[in-house]
Amino acid sequence: MNKISRKGFLKIAAAAAMSGVTAGALAACNAASSSTAASSGAAGSYTPGTYTGTAEGISSTVKVTMTFSDSAVTDVVVDTSGETASYGAAAAEELKNQLLNAGSDEIDGVSGSTITSDAVKKAAKSCFAQAKGEATVTSVQLPTGDETDWLGEEPDIDEAAITETVDTDIVIVGAGNGGMFAAAYAAAKGLNFRVIEQNGNVQDTRHWVGAVDGFGAQEQGIKMDRAKLLSEVSRYASGKCDQRVVKTWINESAEMIEFVRSIMEDKYGVKMIYTYGDEAKWPAENAEHNTDYMYPEIEYTYDRSSGAARNELLLQYIQELGYDVDFKTSLAKLEKNSDGRITGIIAQSTEDDHFIRYNANKGVLLACGGFPGNPYMMEQLDPLGTSVTTACSYSPSDKGYGIRAAMWAGANLDKEAAPMLFDRGVVAPGVDGGYVDSDTAFGGKAFPGTIRQYNPGTQPFLKVNRNGERFANESSPYNDIVYAAAHQPGRVYAQICDANILEDAKRFHTIGCSAQTRNAGEAYVQGKMDEAIAAGALFKCDTLEELADKLGFTGEAKDTFLATVDRYNELYDKQNDEDFGKPAYRLSAIRTAPFYGCWLGASLLTTEQGIAINEKGQALDNDNKPMPGLYITGDMSGSFFANNYPCLMAGVAMGRTLTFAMKAVKQMAGLE
């Protein structure tokens, strides 16, 4: 592969996240020049010939072929045939004429086809650079990958393109939950470090943190059965985790949550809150049905009515100690020496495209998030989770770029998918699980639901498939019902309840974030329901027959649906679920109007299929040996989860993230 010059290399991952489109492969070829002149420049500006550039559009690779004389663009061919027919594909002729008339890549584009227009501009920019002798690229695949190769190839960046160098001890990539916590700990220890973030601000705070035997447990006299917890995490992962990695969280999360408190509460006066006792576990009735999933590691959060967000406070904390974040700076690739040690990174400014070398004397911590916002990776790495998802609440900038960079450097990606799915993806009748085409989404695909999470969907009400049949025990962890729906028509299901929804929810006593339905009060529940009704995804009816019609049941399916409701009422009266074994206290009558019904699938929050790590947070190579100088935390780290997220262990993922953020800094700085 030829090297990429500064002008020839287009913006990489961060620019993609900022603009919603990424550059694709660039290709150059020489051919005979055309004889038709359309736009001109100074004589000798170009090397005569025909050049081709490509870039990723909405749903395809857009190709622009331009022919040059020594002073003019003489012919342009724009191929957008793979784009959405009524938008991007239809814009080809207009974009061609704009390029011919402008004689540069600075064109207006076509209204309504912004992503395709941007891709054409990027591809044209490559053609002009090649014709001017500025680009020496044959084929470089940048962040999107494509439908058959999500990984692509590591960019080879010309030394002349690197115009800035930063020397430090520790480089932290990502200013999200893991990155900012690592930065705060490093700042508290007075270490020499730099943080980069592809976006212009710190990323969203995930407020809830799971910790074992932390200050809350000590205050309440709770002592965790650590062996039982280790066994339960491993069981959730079907044994596909590294139990030594899990033990790091179990054994060191108390120190982690104490450091959180020292900043949030002690320094900034934001009260820490935690759940315990009956609020933190399923009622004892579940044990009779072998569904005692929850063990009370304590979930910590803080008083959010103060307006505080942990990541914002951590930024303030490091700034007060003389540090900051290099925003709008994106990871391009990792660097390693001849011994295989990771020595730093090459990053790129998303403002002016210049490249920056960050030398890291003691190590690099990647905290770049998962890949829920990348349909190329989702479809190839998690086809099951993708197929049952109808909505999303993920960060759109989480496209797996950190995972790609680590793998280019030789890191080992977990082989088992582990999506964080919530049973809250409410959609209109007739909508299937899985992606739909989108003219505005990255990769041209999006999930169809317009509501990020419909919290009442987690409640264990009656759920039926499109045939009107009940198909599973609804009293389960969040993702169980959506995986059960993978075997049902359309991979979706309807939830049915009556006017006693709030009273039933209080009796159900679900835990974790689903407890909002019972704890936040009538106004919260009514607000969620009104939002879904306005979106055409929830129906409020005076009779069950009307509800069946609104939900789209007809003929035999409608008869089956009504019979299923009758049977469910019968089971409620018996206080015995003879069909699927749901605990009696989680059965509910469906007799009091108004009746409510909606269709649901999964709502995808994030992915946790990540780079394999050891108990010290070091990245592992494909032989599962530590990669010197490289550490991973957060959703892009592996070895902990498989299959799914153990959602009833509230906060375990964020607890893992923050614990390993601290661990990595300790390791790199030689603090333990």
Side-chain angles (χ1 to χ4, degrees), residues 60-311:
S60 70
T61 299
V62 169
K63 182 167 69 172
V64 174
T65 303
M66 303 184 73
T67 302
F68 293 80
S69 68
D70 68 342
S71 60
V73 178
T74 59
D75 191 29
V76 175
V77 176
V78 175
D79 181 1
T80 60
S81 57
E83 298 291 87
T84 307
S86 59
Y87 293 95
E93 188 66 21
E94 173 62 21
L95 291 165
K96 165 189 171 179
N97 290 334
Q98 288 186 22
L99 288 170
L100 275 169
N101 293 331
S104 76
D105 58 286
E106 298 297 325
I107 59 175
D108 294 332
V110 176
S111 177
S113 300
T114 303
I115 295 178
T116 300
S117 296
D118 286 347
V120 168
K121 294 177 190 178
K122 290 175 184 291
K125 181 178 180 180
S126 171
C127 293
F128 278 100
Q130 294 167 50
K132 293 176 181 178
E134 295 175 346
T136 56
V137 179
T138 54
S139 180
V140 177
Q141 216 163 11
L142 293 176
T144 60
D146 61 33
E147 293 180 357
T148 59
D149 178 18
W150 61 265
L151 181 59
E153 298 178 8
E154 182 178 63
D156 188 7
I157 302 168
D158 196 307
E159 283 294 315
I162 302 170
T163 58
E164 183 180 353
T165 298
V166 175
D167 293 313
T168 189
D169 287 336
I170 295 171
V171 171
I172 300 168
V173 182
N177 295 289
M180 288 310 301
F181 194 66
Y185 190 74
K189 299 298 181 181
L191 304 178
N192 183 22
F193 70 93
R194 295 290 284 266
V195 186
I196 72 165
E197 166 58 44
Q198 63 181 357
N199 297 291
N201 49 269
V202 296
Q203 295 304 283
D204 289 344
T205 300
R206 188 67 179 167
H207 308 287
W208 302 273
V209 182
V212 179
D213 296 338
F215 67 82
Q218 295 168 33
E219 290 172 359
Q220 299 303 322
I222 297 170
K223 188 68 175 177
M224 185 66 214
D225 185 336
R226 298 189 179 197
K228 191 174 183 180
L229 178 58
L230 177 62
S231 176
E232 183 70 353
V233 173
S234 181
R235 183 181 71 84
Y236 255 102
S238 300
K240 299 169 186 173
C241 61
D242 185 330
Q243 292 192 14
R244 296 167 299 179
V245 173
V246 178
K247 285 179 67 177
T248 294
W249 165 67
I250 291 174
N251 294 334
E252 301 184 24
S253 56
E255 179 187 2
M256 170 273 294
I257 202 64
E258 183 60 36
F259 184 65
V260 174
R261 182 166 72 161
S262 73
I263 296 176
M264 300 290 294
E265 195 167 276
D266 297 346
K267 183 170 181 59
Y268 294 114
V270 179
K271 179 67 176 176
M272 294 285 290
I273 302 167
Y274 57 86
T275 58
Y276 64 95
D278 288 342
E279 185 58 36
K281 64 182 178 182
W282 282 24
E285 288 91 336
N286 288 278
E288 300 173 6
H289 296 263
N290 297 316
T291 55
D292 188 13
Y293 293 97
M294 179 62 180
Y295 298 104
E297 93 282 357
I298 284 180
E299 178 188 36
Y300 294 81
T301 183
Y302 52 89
D303 179 12
R304 284 154 56 212
S305 67
S306 65
R310 187 179 65 248
N311 288 347

